[in-house]
Amino acid sequence: MPNFSNTKPINKRIQIVALAILTTATLAFSIKQSNPKEPMYRIAKIKVDPAQVDQYNAALKEQMTTAIAQEPGVLSYYAVANKKEPSEITILECYADTDAYKAHTETTHFKKYKETVKNMVTSLELQDVNLICAAKQPNQ
Amino acid sequence: MPNFSNTKPINKRIQIVALAILTTATLAFSIKQSNPKEPMYRIAKIKVDPAQVDQYNAALKEQMTTAIAQEPGVLSYYAVANKKEPSEITILECYADTDAYKAHTETTHFKKYKETVKNMVTSLELQDVNLICAAKQPNQ
């Protein structure tokens, strides 16, 4: 008969190693899932009172340029208007992470913008998005 | 009585100068209106068969990176997917001008992309847009 006297401790050690691997993997997955330190992308779809488009665009530009100048965590903004209906505006926003976005919403310039445009904006839809691909020329 | 003998020629000269100014201004306006040599921005809103999102995204990335590498007139692409529904895709496209866009649609890589995705895309909406403002950090 084979000697089984050492079998149990070996199995036990395998179980412990397997458990350790599983625990580490689970922990790593949990950290990754909750890690806010990755770029945050969002699309804002905004409709503005057609009579106040120029004033709205001026306030938007001021907010954007101030945020980029003062907040390293605000990475980029692209704001465009529908050619057929310039009061329909789309903004692609990118922040360093969710913390950078939260900090942005507490700034004086962001609060000033929200106050300025509150009677200009007729609808606002925010869509959180994931980046599929960004590709651009070196000079862009 | 005042001497009117020189009045008519002076009025005539004023009329000629006014006509010349008007003609120049009209011509300049017409040239500006028809000048295609300014950046062309467009938003593409695409819905993809949810079962084929990964294949679609791969084809999209290949098209974008090839176009940027081979066509100086294709300036930038940003493609993002709705976090709640990854088959809903938005692309912000920028070309040097409308000629650059037309040339792009004739390229082998663009035609290959259209052929590859023709049975993946369930809806496509193109919206020509004007840039209101782009602002970004120097490293973006």
Side-chain angles (χ1 to χ4, degrees), chain B residues 62-93:
Chain B
E62 185 183 325
Q63 196 294 118
M64 286 181 172
T65 51
T66 308
I68 291 291
Q70 296 184 7
E71 298 179 79
V74 178
L75 299 187
S76 65
Y77 286 123
Y78 294 90
V80 294
N82 187 344
K83 273 196 176 183
K84 288 184 181 165
E85 184 39 81
S87 63
E88 291 179 16
I89 292 160
T90 303
I91 308 172
L92 176 60
E93 311 174 2

Side-chain angles (χ1 to χ4, degrees), chain A:
Chain A
M1 267 182 75
N3 178 5
F4 287 103
S5 61
N6 287 328
T7 308
K8 210 168 178 181
I10 288 171
N11 281 348
K12 193 79 183 170
R13 270 176 283 177
I14 290 171
Q15 282 176 9
I16 291 168
V17 170
L19 189 65
I21 291 170
L22 190 65
T23 306
T24 308
T26 307
L27 193 64
F29 182 75
S30 301
I31 290 170
K32 182 170 165 45
Q33 288 299 93
S34 63
N35 184 2
K37 301 295 178 195
E38 54 186 32
M40 174 188 156
Y41 290 88
R42 205 167 63 175
I43 288 177
K45 297 177 187 182
I46 299 167
K47 287 185 183 173
V48 177
D49 170 11
Q52 300 185 79
V53 168
D54 290 346
Q55 296 93 315
Y56 174 80
N57 287 351
L60 181 65
K61 282 182 196 176
E62 185 184 327
Q63 195 294 119
M64 286 182 172
T65 51
T66 308
I68 290 292
Q70 296 184 7
E71 298 179 78
V74 177
L75 300 187
S76 65
Y77 287 123
Y78 295 89
V80 293
N82 187 346
K83 272 196 175 184
K84 288 184 181 165
E85 184 38 82
S87 63
E88 291 179 14
I89 291 161
T90 303
I91 308 172
L92 176 60
E93 312 174 3
C94 179
Y95 304 92
D97 50 47
T98 52
D99 286 347
Y101 171 69
K102 284 174 195 159
H104 168 66
T105 61
E106 296 300 317
T107 59
T108 308
H109 49 268
F110 182 74
K111 288 178 179 173
K112 179 186 170 191
Y113 159 77
K114 292 296 275 185
E115 179 64 23
T116 304
V117 306
K118 69 180 182 187
N119 294 324
M120 301 176 183
V121 172
T122 55
S123 84
L124 168 63
E125 182 193 336
L126 300 174
Q127 186 184 96
D128 283 312
V129 293
N130 287 320
L131 184 71
I132 299 170
C133 180
K136 60 188 179 69
Q137 299 296 341
N139 60 351
Q140 290 297 301

Side-chain angles (χ1 to χ4, degrees), chain B residues 15-31:
Chain B
Q15 280 174 11
I16 291 168
V17 170
L19 190 65
I21 291 169
L22 190 65
T23 306
T24 308
T26 306
L27 194 62
F29 182 74
S30 302
I31 289 170

Side-chain angles (χ1 to χ4, degrees), chain B residues 15-65:
Chain B
Q15 280 174 11
I16 291 168
V17 170
L19 190 65
I21 291 169
L22 190 65
T23 306
T24 308
T26 306
L27 194 62
F29 182 74
S30 302
I31 289 170
K32 184 172 163 48
Q33 288 299 92
S34 63
N35 184 2
K37 301 296 177 194
E38 53 186 32
M40 173 187 156
Y41 289 88
R42 204 167 63 175
I43 287 177
K45 298 177 187 181
I46 299 167
K47 289 186 182 171
V48 176
D49 171 12
Q52 300 185 78
V53 169
D54 290 345
Q55 296 94 313
Y56 174 80
N57 287 351
L60 181 65
K61 282 181 195 175
E62 185 183 325
Q63 196 294 118
M64 286 181 172
T65 51

